[in-house]
Amino acid sequence: AQSVTQLGSHVSVSEGALVLLRCNYSSSVPPYLFWYVQYPNQGLQLLLKYTSAATLVKGINGFEAEFKKSETSFHLTKPSAHMSDAAEYFCAVSDQGGSYIPTFGRGTSLIVHP
Amino acid sequence: DAGVIQSPRHEVTEMGQEVTLRCKPISGHDYLFWYRQTMMRGLELLIYFNNNVPIDDSGMPEDRFSAKMPNASFSTLKIQPSEPRDSAVYFCASSYQGARTEAFFGQGTRLTVV
């Protein structure tokens, strides 16, 4: 079985500040990990993914995430927040053991203040 | 490719009526997922198909919900009869080879049952 926990349903930052969105997962086999972003009235779209290559993954719009097996974490960061980053962010896990169903976290709403 | 296409984008219906949501996945994708998103429950997987065959429908809330995929390019989610608690945004997503690759989401159908 696999699961995802996103710590904090809302994260508020100032424009230009560091963005850190937390994701911890549990999986009985090596995982594939994803971050998606959802803008208002839109579907989810992929930001970045980890599929057992480099542990530091770079995505679109300046976001990156680091896979830490010892901490079972896949936190999302961006050095400097922009107003356009305000959205809902979802972490998801699927496993290499054959369960092709991605499991999504509850989501974290990123609020960016001017 | 135009991406995953869902119709309608918005649906308002009266309690007790039948509602049919439609989805056209990305050509060549072999997995199709139906999700429901609400504030209370987040993103819930309702059912998924592999090569047009329903694999897991354990997320379908009750017998009022049914889903079909008659061919590789079309799927429907039907609610009959509809109830106010079914009000939500319904997403269709497709992917190729499941776990390793990301899911591509449609824009969603916002369903309101009055």
Side-chain angles (χ1 to χ4, degrees):
Chain A
Q2 56 198 30
S3 65
V4 174
T5 302
Q6 291 185 241
L7 187 62
S9 58
H10 295 82
V11 170
S12 182
V13 300
S14 298
E15 191 174 20
L18 171 72
V19 176
L20 171 61
L21 305 182
R22 299 179 187 274
C23 173
N24 289 89
Y25 70 91
S26 69
S27 177
S28 57
V29 296
Y32 297 122
L33 294 159
F34 307 83
W35 275 101
Y36 290 82
V37 61
Q38 183 182 28
Y39 298 104
N41 300 314
Q42 294 189 24
L44 283 69
Q45 60 186 85
L46 184 73
L47 266 181
L48 49 81
K49 63 181 178 182
Y50 165 78
T51 57
S52 70
T55 57
L56 182 62
V57 181
K58 295 187 183 299
I60 62 172
N61 300 337
F63 284 93
E64 63 182 35
E66 186 173 7
F67 171 65
K68 292 187 176 180
K69 182 178 179 180
S70 61
E71 299 177 9
T72 61
S73 69
F74 191 57
H75 301 332
L76 181 70
T77 61
K78 182 174 180 178
S80 177
H82 192 274
M83 297 295 290
S84 61
D85 295 327
E88 190 85 12
Y89 291 81
F90 293 88
C91 182
V93 61
S94 59
D95 67 60
Q96 301 182 30
S99 169
Y100 295 120
I101 308 172
T103 299
F104 286 83
R106 287 299 304 269
T108 298
S109 178
L110 177 64
I111 302 162
V112 183
H113 297 286
Chain B
D1 201 305
V4 176
I5 300 173
Q6 291 186 247
S7 64
R9 287 294 310 275
H10 302 273
E11 177 79 42
V12 180
T13 191
E14 292 185 348
M15 182 174 61
Q17 296 298 306
E18 176 181 302
V19 176
T20 299
L21 311 181
R22 296 172 175 80
C23 174
K24 176 179 168 58
I26 292 173
S27 177
H29 282 189
D30 55 350
Y31 283 83
L32 184 138
F33 307 88
W34 281 101
Y35 289 90
R36 178 172 68 176
Q37 185 178 37
T38 61
M39 290 291 290
M40 291 295 293
R41 302 173 69 93
L43 198 63
E44 302 173 272
L45 177 66
L46 301 177
I47 185 172
Y48 79 98
F49 296 83
N50 178 219
N51 292 322
N52 314 337
V53 176
I55 304 300
D56 186 349
D57 66 353
S58 60
M60 298 284 260
E62 46 197 277
D63 292 344
R64 298 184 297 105
F65 286 69
S66 63
K68 294 182 180 179
M69 192 166 185
N71 56 61
S73 58
F74 184 66
S75 178
T76 60
L77 178 68
K78 183 179 292 186
I79 307 172
Q80 179 185 22
S82 58
E83 297 182 2
R85 59 187 167 138
D86 302 330
S87 297
V89 181
Y90 291 81
F91 288 104
C92 175
S94 69
S95 71
Y96 178 62
Q97 293 188 343
R100 178 181 294 273
T101 61
E102 67 270 27
F104 290 80
F105 281 74
Q107 299 273 16
T109 296
R110 182 174 295 276
L111 173 65
T112 303
V113 183
V114 298

